[in-house]
């Protein structure tokens, strides 16, 4: 399929309003302004668009949960926190195609009758924030955002809100808390944000890529959109390929594309002719797949069938030199560091898992530690307030399941010789 | 008893605990920063000024380099909330410094995609070159080296971020030591490595 979202991202000045207008920006908005909110939601439902933030929840349905007759203000919060290890697609969209993004925000606001949209951008994306601010000012000036948009009477303000370094702020209720000036710690659901969200008002939280898909549905029609990709996995999708590949980057394809195609055709295969060992298909919170399981469609449903998840479509590729114990240790350092600490199993358990994995990785573990890893992980998954707890389990459980021999090598023989990309030992600050 | 029979409760500081930094020197926003803050506050409903706490703390950091007890008191006064609420925020988010840091804080991404492409060696080269360990500042107060989690640019691994703003991508031990030397001699002019300026 021809790229739609990323067609022009490599061209000079692709982010500017002039360039975007030459390539059809805001055409979808013009159509949507002529439609009633319910009709907009109906089109999004019929297009089959599913949220690109991780869970794949149908976007139209989510918008439909916002109570129509509530006297309270309604809010759209954009999740531009992109912190899932291995994910960098929203980054590219905001940097190179910001007007498509604003267009999606305004259409979504019209659909849910919101007058204000906050873009919650992670603090580390400061250079992107400046691009967004410049382009947003141009969009305001040209009348695509602000009061009386294109003479329709619609009023939408967009504000950019900078975070300050917390993975957990990506969880939708934690994002709302953070926007209210608190720690990014999740709320108990229900009530769901659609009913009680930002400042106690009905709120929709959507991912950046999700919103970038919205204008396409109106520009080209929901029939066109629903015709892309396999049934129930419609529309163009961005894949982030990183790790041991020749051409890491963001690639756009429909969801019939397989993991093998993404790794070998799009990203140019593994450097040095080495063999593939394992793939994380959807960001660090999804199950690792071994090399013989990559002939599956990289779609929401395809990857569930293969025993993993599409998640944020962050595909991390690991070659034969990689120790999966080291991978698990690296990721558990991340989760230990990012746990918000609100629930005990997650706060304590991530610390324990990291400590056990460090010990095993150094070659000081015992076989019974492997059972202990399973047991601790099992006491976190499903027993926490937010899905972070469930996200901790895959790096441990799936590496143990598919690569037990790696763990046993570390235990029986000790740490294997280091691959070239880690060869300078002993590292300062190594734990 | 711990919820897992074989594991003890951890000790050490967790981000969910509040740790209040020393009061430090007196602090008040400059009139320009105060005006910038009021502008940001206008993005939120009038009764929701607390939403601007993070923005206020960034301004403190810009003005003073790091955040102190007095600065938090001042922010609470300007925002109109309890100082405890500001303390909560400061202790939770990793981009706030509660002690003096170097002129250049070099933060190296250590998460999987960067680590798969040699991030450990970048940190090591940096530390060896500057004679510090991660978390430390050089005696001349120029550089602090910090390890960071995924920055969201894993295709250009390993990635470093200087001072919460400037990114440099596709690093290796040689490039990063050259960058540090250039920062010493040319100052901020050396920070032009963000991919934003390069088009494919
Ligand atoms: C721990 C955690 C971190 C998350 N991080 C992000 C993130 O960085 N970006 C994002 O878009 N969604 C993230 N999500 C998913 C959001 O909670 C939410 O489902 C999503 O923003 C909904 O948008 P969508 O319907 O457009 O997919 C995260 C979820 C959890 C549990
Ligand atoms: S599961 Fe972890 S991140 Fe989520 S609320 Fe509990 S402690 Fe916080
Ligand atoms: S792992 Fe370093 S930027 Fe993502």
């Amino acid at each position: 399929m021809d790229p739609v979202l990323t067609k022009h991202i490599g061209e000079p000045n692709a982010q500017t309003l002039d360039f975007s207008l030459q390539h059809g920006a805001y055409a979808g908005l013009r159509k949507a302004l002529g439609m009633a909110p319910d009709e907009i939601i109906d089109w999004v439902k019929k297009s089959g668009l599913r949220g690109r933030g991780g869970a794949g929840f149908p976007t139209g349905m989510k918008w439909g949960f916002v109570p129509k007759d509530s006297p309270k203000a309604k809010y759209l919060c954009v999740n531009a926190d992109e912190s899932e290890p291995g994910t960098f697609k929203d980054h590219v969209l905001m940097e190179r195609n910001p007007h498509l993004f604003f267009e999606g925000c305004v259409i979504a606001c019209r659909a849910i009758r919101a007058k204000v949209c906050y873009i919650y951008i992670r603090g580390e994306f400061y250079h992107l924030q400046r691009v967004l601010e410049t382009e947003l000012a141009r969009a305001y000036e040209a009348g695509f955002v602000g009061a009386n948009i294109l003479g329709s009477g619609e009023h939408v303000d967009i504000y950019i809100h900078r975070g300050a370094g917390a993975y957990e702020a990506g969880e939708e209720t934690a994002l709302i808390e953070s926007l209210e000036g608190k720690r990014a710690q999740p709320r108990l659901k229900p009530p769901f944000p659609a009913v009680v969200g930002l400042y106690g008002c009905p709120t929709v939280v959507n991912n950046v890529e999700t919103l970038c898909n919205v204008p396409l549905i109106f520009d080209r029609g929901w029939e066109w959109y629903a015709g892309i990709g396999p049934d129930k996995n419609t529309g163009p999708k961005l894949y982030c390929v990183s790790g041991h590949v020749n051409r890491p980057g963001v690639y756009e394809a429909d969801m019939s594309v397989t993991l093998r195609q993404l790794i070998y055709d799009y990203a140019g295969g593994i450097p040095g002719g080495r063999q593939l060992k394992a793939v994380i298909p959807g960001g660090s919170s999804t199950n690792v797949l071994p090399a013989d399981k990559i002939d599956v469609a990289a779609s929401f449903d395809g990857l569930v069938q293969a025993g993993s998840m599409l998640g944020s479509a962050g595909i991390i590729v690991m070659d034969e030199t990689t120790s999966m114990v080291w991978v698990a240790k690296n990721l558990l350092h991340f989760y230990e560091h990012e746990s918000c600490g609100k629930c005990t199993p997650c706060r304590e358990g991530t610390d324990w898992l990291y400590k056990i994995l460090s010990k095993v990785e150094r070659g000081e573990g015992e076989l019974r530690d492997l059972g202990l890893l399973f047991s601790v992980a099992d006491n976190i998954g499903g027993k926490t307030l937010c899905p972070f707890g469930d996200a901790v389990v895959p790096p441990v459980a799936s590496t143990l399941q598919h690569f037990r021999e790696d763990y046993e090598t570390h235990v029986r023989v000790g740490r294997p010789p280091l691959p070239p990309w880690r060869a300078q030992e002993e590292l300062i600050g190594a734990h | 008893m711990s919820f897992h029979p074989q594991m003890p409760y951890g000790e050490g500081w967790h981000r969910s605990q509040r740790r209040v930094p020393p009061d430090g020197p007196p602090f008040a926003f400059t009139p320009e920063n105060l005006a910038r803050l009021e502008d940001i506050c206008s993005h939120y409903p009038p009764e929701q000024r607390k939403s601007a706490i993070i923005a206020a703390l960034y301004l403190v950091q810009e003005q003073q380099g790091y955040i102190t007890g007095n600065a938090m008191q001042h922010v609470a006064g300007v925002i109109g909330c309890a100082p405890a609420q500001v303390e909560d925020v400061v202790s939770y988010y990793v981009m706030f410094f509660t002690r003096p840091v170097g002129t250049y804080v070099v933060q190296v991404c250590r998460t999987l995609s960067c680590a798969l492409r040699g991030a450990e060696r970048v940190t090591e080269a940096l530390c060896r070159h500057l004679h510090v360990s991660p978390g430390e500042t050089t005696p001349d107060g120029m550089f602090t080296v910090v390890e960071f989690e995924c920055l969201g640019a894993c295709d250009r691994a390993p990635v470093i971020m200087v001072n919460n703003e400037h990114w440099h991508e596709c690093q290796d031990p040689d490039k990063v030591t050259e960058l540090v030397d250039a920062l010493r001699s040319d100052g901020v002019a050396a920070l032009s490595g963000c991919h934003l300026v390069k088009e494919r």
Side-chain angles (χ1 to χ4, degrees), chain A residues 257-296:
Chain A
V257 70
T258 64
L259 280 180
R260 181 180 299 281
Q261 285 170 323
L262 286 163
I263 297 168
Y264 286 96
D265 301 343
Y266 288 77
I270 312 224
R274 289 190 293 273
Q275 294 297 310
L276 176 70
K277 180 162 181 173
V279 187
I280 295 178
S284 63
S285 311
T286 58
N287 281 331
V288 173
L289 294 176
D292 57 2
K293 290 242 181 97
I294 61 169
D295 290 300
V296 292

Short mmCIF file of all heavy atoms in Angstrom, two decimals, chain A residues 257-296:
data_model
loop_
_atom_site.label_atom_id
_atom_site.label_comp_id
_atom_site.label_asym_id
_atom_site.label_seq_id
_atom_site.Cartn_x
_atom_site.Cartn_y
_atom_site.Cartn_z
N VAL A 257 0.56 -6.84 6.51
CA VAL A 257 2.01 -7.01 6.44
C VAL A 257 2.45 -7.96 7.57
O VAL A 257 1.86 -7.98 8.65
CB VAL A 257 2.70 -5.64 6.55
CG1 VAL A 257 2.57 -5.07 7.95
CG2 VAL A 257 4.16 -5.72 6.15
N THR A 258 3.47 -8.79 7.28
CA THR A 258 3.91 -9.73 8.32
C THR A 258 5.14 -9.17 9.03
O THR A 258 5.82 -8.28 8.52
CB THR A 258 4.28 -11.10 7.74
OG1 THR A 258 5.41 -10.93 6.87
CG2 THR A 258 3.12 -11.71 6.98
N LEU A 259 5.41 -9.74 10.20
CA LEU A 259 6.61 -9.32 10.93
C LEU A 259 7.85 -9.58 10.09
O LEU A 259 8.78 -8.79 10.07
CB LEU A 259 6.72 -10.09 12.25
CG LEU A 259 5.88 -9.62 13.43
CD1 LEU A 259 6.13 -10.52 14.63
CD2 LEU A 259 6.20 -8.18 13.78
N ARG A 260 7.85 -10.72 9.36
CA ARG A 260 9.02 -11.03 8.54
C ARG A 260 9.26 -9.95 7.48
O ARG A 260 10.38 -9.49 7.29
CB ARG A 260 8.85 -12.40 7.85
CG ARG A 260 10.06 -12.78 6.99
CD ARG A 260 9.92 -14.12 6.30
NE ARG A 260 9.78 -15.24 7.21
CZ ARG A 260 10.79 -15.82 7.87
NH1 ARG A 260 12.02 -15.37 7.71
NH2 ARG A 260 10.57 -16.83 8.67
N GLN A 261 8.17 -9.53 6.82
CA GLN A 261 8.32 -8.47 5.81
C GLN A 261 8.86 -7.19 6.44
O GLN A 261 9.73 -6.53 5.88
CB GLN A 261 6.98 -8.18 5.15
CG GLN A 261 6.55 -9.25 4.16
CD GLN A 261 5.11 -9.05 3.71
OE1 GLN A 261 4.25 -8.66 4.49
NE2 GLN A 261 4.86 -9.33 2.44
N LEU A 262 8.34 -6.85 7.61
CA LEU A 262 8.79 -5.61 8.24
C LEU A 262 10.27 -5.68 8.59
O LEU A 262 11.01 -4.72 8.38
CB LEU A 262 7.96 -5.33 9.50
CG LEU A 262 6.55 -4.83 9.23
CD1 LEU A 262 5.66 -4.96 10.45
CD2 LEU A 262 6.58 -3.38 8.75
N ILE A 263 10.70 -6.83 9.07
CA ILE A 263 12.10 -6.94 9.50
C ILE A 263 13.03 -7.05 8.29
O ILE A 263 14.05 -6.35 8.22
CB ILE A 263 12.28 -8.15 10.43
CG1 ILE A 263 11.46 -7.95 11.70
CG2 ILE A 263 13.76 -8.36 10.76
CD1 ILE A 263 11.33 -9.20 12.55
N TYR A 264 12.65 -7.91 7.33
CA TYR A 264 13.59 -8.18 6.24
C TYR A 264 13.40 -7.28 5.03
O TYR A 264 14.38 -6.89 4.40
CB TYR A 264 13.52 -9.66 5.85
CG TYR A 264 14.18 -10.55 6.88
CD1 TYR A 264 13.41 -11.17 7.87
CD2 TYR A 264 15.56 -10.73 6.91
CE1 TYR A 264 14.00 -11.95 8.84
CE2 TYR A 264 16.16 -11.50 7.88
CZ TYR A 264 15.38 -12.12 8.84
OH TYR A 264 15.98 -12.88 9.81
N ASP A 265 12.16 -6.95 4.67
CA ASP A 265 11.97 -6.11 3.48
C ASP A 265 12.03 -4.63 3.81
O ASP A 265 12.78 -3.88 3.20
CB ASP A 265 10.62 -6.43 2.81
CG ASP A 265 10.54 -7.90 2.42
OD1 ASP A 265 11.62 -8.54 2.36
OD2 ASP A 265 9.43 -8.40 2.19
N TYR A 266 11.26 -4.22 4.80
CA TYR A 266 11.22 -2.79 5.11
C TYR A 266 12.50 -2.34 5.80
O TYR A 266 13.13 -1.37 5.40
CB TYR A 266 10.01 -2.46 6.00
CG TYR A 266 8.69 -2.53 5.28
CD1 TYR A 266 8.08 -3.74 5.00
CD2 TYR A 266 8.04 -1.37 4.88
CE1 TYR A 266 6.86 -3.80 4.34
CE2 TYR A 266 6.81 -1.42 4.23
CZ TYR A 266 6.23 -2.64 3.96
OH TYR A 266 5.03 -2.69 3.31
N ALA A 267 12.89 -3.06 6.84
CA ALA A 267 14.03 -2.60 7.66
C ALA A 267 15.36 -3.20 7.21
O ALA A 267 16.38 -3.00 7.86
CB ALA A 267 13.77 -2.90 9.13
N GLY A 268 15.36 -3.94 6.11
CA GLY A 268 16.63 -4.37 5.50
C GLY A 268 17.35 -5.52 6.17
O GLY A 268 18.53 -5.75 5.91
N GLY A 269 16.67 -6.27 7.03
CA GLY A 269 17.28 -7.46 7.62
C GLY A 269 18.32 -7.14 8.68
O GLY A 269 18.50 -6.00 9.09
N ILE A 270 18.99 -8.21 9.10
CA ILE A 270 19.88 -8.12 10.26
C ILE A 270 21.31 -7.83 9.81
O ILE A 270 21.77 -8.44 8.83
CB ILE A 270 19.81 -9.45 11.03
CG1 ILE A 270 18.33 -9.79 11.19
CG2 ILE A 270 20.61 -9.39 12.32
CD1 ILE A 270 17.85 -10.26 12.43
N PRO A 271 22.00 -6.93 10.46
CA PRO A 271 23.36 -6.60 10.02
C PRO A 271 24.31 -7.79 10.12
O PRO A 271 24.12 -8.68 10.95
CB PRO A 271 23.80 -5.51 11.02
CG PRO A 271 22.57 -5.06 11.71
CD PRO A 271 21.58 -6.16 11.64
N GLY A 272 25.30 -7.78 9.25
CA GLY A 272 26.35 -8.80 9.30
C GLY A 272 25.87 -10.19 8.94
O GLY A 272 26.55 -11.17 9.25
N GLY A 273 24.69 -10.30 8.34
CA GLY A 273 24.19 -11.62 7.95
C GLY A 273 23.90 -12.52 9.15
O GLY A 273 23.76 -13.73 9.01
N ARG A 274 23.80 -11.94 10.35
CA ARG A 274 23.54 -12.79 11.52
C ARG A 274 22.09 -13.26 11.53
O ARG A 274 21.25 -12.77 10.79
CB ARG A 274 23.88 -12.01 12.80
CG ARG A 274 25.38 -11.81 12.99
CD ARG A 274 25.70 -11.26 14.37
NE ARG A 274 25.20 -9.92 14.55
CZ ARG A 274 25.88 -8.81 14.20
NH1 ARG A 274 27.07 -8.91 13.65
NH2 ARG A 274 25.36 -7.62 14.40
N GLN A 275 21.83 -14.25 12.37
CA GLN A 275 20.50 -14.85 12.44
C GLN A 275 19.61 -14.08 13.42
O GLN A 275 20.11 -13.54 14.41
CB GLN A 275 20.60 -16.30 12.92
CG GLN A 275 21.32 -17.22 11.96
CD GLN A 275 20.58 -17.33 10.63
OE1 GLN A 275 19.38 -17.57 10.60
NE2 GLN A 275 21.30 -17.11 9.54
N LEU A 276 18.32 -14.10 13.12
CA LEU A 276 17.35 -13.51 14.04
C LEU A 276 17.18 -14.44 15.24
O LEU A 276 17.15 -15.66 15.09
CB LEU A 276 16.01 -13.36 13.31
CG LEU A 276 14.85 -12.85 14.13
CD1 LEU A 276 15.06 -11.39 14.47
CD2 LEU A 276 13.54 -13.01 13.37
N LYS A 277 17.10 -13.85 16.41
CA LYS A 277 16.83 -14.67 17.59
C LYS A 277 15.42 -14.45 18.12
O LYS A 277 14.69 -15.40 18.36
CB LYS A 277 17.83 -14.35 18.70
CG LYS A 277 17.61 -15.16 19.96
CD LYS A 277 18.84 -15.15 20.82
CE LYS A 277 18.65 -15.98 22.08
NZ LYS A 277 19.92 -16.10 22.82
N ALA A 278 15.03 -13.21 18.27
CA ALA A 278 13.73 -12.94 18.88
C ALA A 278 13.24 -11.55 18.48
O ALA A 278 14.03 -10.69 18.11
CB ALA A 278 13.84 -13.01 20.40
N VAL A 279 11.93 -11.36 18.56
CA VAL A 279 11.32 -10.08 18.23
C VAL A 279 10.33 -9.71 19.32
O VAL A 279 9.52 -10.54 19.74
CB VAL A 279 10.53 -10.15 16.90
CG1 VAL A 279 10.05 -8.77 16.51
CG2 VAL A 279 11.34 -10.77 15.82
N ILE A 280 10.39 -8.45 19.75
CA ILE A 280 9.31 -7.91 20.58
C ILE A 280 8.41 -7.14 19.62
O ILE A 280 8.86 -6.17 19.02
CB ILE A 280 9.88 -6.98 21.67
CG1 ILE A 280 10.74 -7.78 22.64
CG2 ILE A 280 8.74 -6.28 22.40
CD1 ILE A 280 11.38 -6.95 23.73
N PRO A 281 7.15 -7.57 19.41
CA PRO A 281 6.39 -6.98 18.31
C PRO A 281 5.67 -5.67 18.62
O PRO A 281 5.33 -4.94 17.70
CB PRO A 281 5.37 -8.06 17.96
CG PRO A 281 5.20 -8.82 19.22
CD PRO A 281 6.47 -8.71 20.01
N GLY A 282 5.43 -5.35 19.89
CA GLY A 282 4.56 -4.19 20.14
C GLY A 282 4.98 -3.33 21.30
O GLY A 282 4.15 -2.90 22.09
N GLY A 283 6.27 -3.04 21.40
CA GLY A 283 6.72 -2.29 22.57
C GLY A 283 7.06 -3.26 23.68
O GLY A 283 6.61 -4.41 23.69
N SER A 284 7.82 -2.79 24.67
CA SER A 284 8.41 -3.71 25.64
C SER A 284 7.39 -4.46 26.49
O SER A 284 7.73 -5.44 27.12
CB SER A 284 9.35 -2.92 26.56
OG SER A 284 8.61 -1.98 27.28
N SER A 285 6.15 -4.00 26.49
CA SER A 285 5.16 -4.66 27.34
C SER A 285 4.48 -5.85 26.68
O SER A 285 3.49 -6.36 27.19
CB SER A 285 4.09 -3.66 27.76
OG SER A 285 4.66 -2.50 28.25
N THR A 286 4.96 -6.27 25.51
CA THR A 286 4.31 -7.39 24.83
C THR A 286 5.25 -8.60 24.82
O THR A 286 6.46 -8.45 24.92
CB THR A 286 3.94 -7.02 23.39
OG1 THR A 286 5.13 -6.63 22.69
CG2 THR A 286 2.96 -5.87 23.35
N ASN A 287 4.64 -9.79 24.68
CA ASN A 287 5.42 -11.02 24.72
C ASN A 287 6.45 -11.09 23.61
O ASN A 287 6.17 -10.76 22.46
CB ASN A 287 4.49 -12.23 24.59
CG ASN A 287 3.80 -12.54 25.91
OD1 ASN A 287 4.36 -12.28 26.98
ND2 ASN A 287 2.60 -13.08 25.83
N VAL A 288 7.64 -11.58 23.95
CA VAL A 288 8.68 -11.82 22.96
C VAL A 288 8.27 -13.00 22.08
O VAL A 288 7.73 -13.98 22.57
CB VAL A 288 9.99 -12.16 23.69
CG1 VAL A 288 11.07 -12.57 22.70
CG2 VAL A 288 10.45 -10.99 24.52
N LEU A 289 8.52 -12.88 20.76
CA LEU A 289 8.27 -14.00 19.87
C LEU A 289 9.61 -14.56 19.39
O LEU A 289 10.50 -13.79 19.01
CB LEU A 289 7.45 -13.56 18.65
CG LEU A 289 6.02 -13.10 18.93
CD1 LEU A 289 5.37 -12.61 17.63
CD2 LEU A 289 5.20 -14.23 19.52
N PRO A 290 9.79 -15.89 19.38
CA PRO A 290 11.03 -16.46 18.85
C PRO A 290 11.07 -16.37 17.33
O PRO A 290 10.04 -16.12 16.69
CB PRO A 290 10.98 -17.90 19.32
CG PRO A 290 9.55 -18.18 19.60
CD PRO A 290 8.88 -16.89 19.93
N ALA A 291 12.24 -16.58 16.74
CA ALA A 291 12.44 -16.34 15.31
C ALA A 291 11.50 -17.14 14.42
O ALA A 291 11.16 -16.70 13.32
CB ALA A 291 13.88 -16.66 14.95
N ASP A 292 11.03 -18.30 14.85
CA ASP A 292 10.18 -19.10 13.95
C ASP A 292 8.71 -18.67 13.99
O ASP A 292 7.87 -19.28 13.37
CB ASP A 292 10.32 -20.60 14.28
CG ASP A 292 9.96 -20.90 15.73
OD1 ASP A 292 9.58 -19.96 16.45
OD2 ASP A 292 10.07 -22.07 16.13
N LYS A 293 8.41 -17.62 14.72
CA LYS A 293 7.00 -17.19 14.81
C LYS A 293 6.76 -15.86 14.11
O LYS A 293 5.81 -15.15 14.44
CB LYS A 293 6.60 -17.05 16.28
CG LYS A 293 6.50 -18.34 17.06
CD LYS A 293 5.06 -18.55 17.56
CE LYS A 293 4.90 -19.82 18.36
NZ LYS A 293 4.99 -19.59 19.79
N ILE A 294 7.60 -15.50 13.14
CA ILE A 294 7.45 -14.15 12.59
C ILE A 294 6.63 -14.11 11.30
O ILE A 294 6.44 -13.05 10.74
CB ILE A 294 8.81 -13.46 12.37
CG1 ILE A 294 9.65 -14.23 11.38
CG2 ILE A 294 9.53 -13.25 13.68
CD1 ILE A 294 10.87 -13.46 10.93
N ASP A 295 6.12 -15.27 10.86
CA ASP A 295 5.28 -15.24 9.65
C ASP A 295 3.82 -15.01 10.02
O ASP A 295 2.94 -15.77 9.64
CB ASP A 295 5.46 -16.55 8.88
CG ASP A 295 6.84 -16.60 8.26
OD1 ASP A 295 7.17 -15.72 7.46
OD2 ASP A 295 7.62 -17.51 8.62
N VAL A 296 3.58 -13.95 10.77
CA VAL A 296 2.21 -13.63 11.17
C VAL A 296 1.93 -12.18 10.79
O VAL A 296 2.84 -11.36 10.72
CB VAL A 296 2.02 -13.78 12.69
CG1 VAL A 296 2.11 -15.23 13.10
CG2 VAL A 296 3.03 -12.94 13.47
#
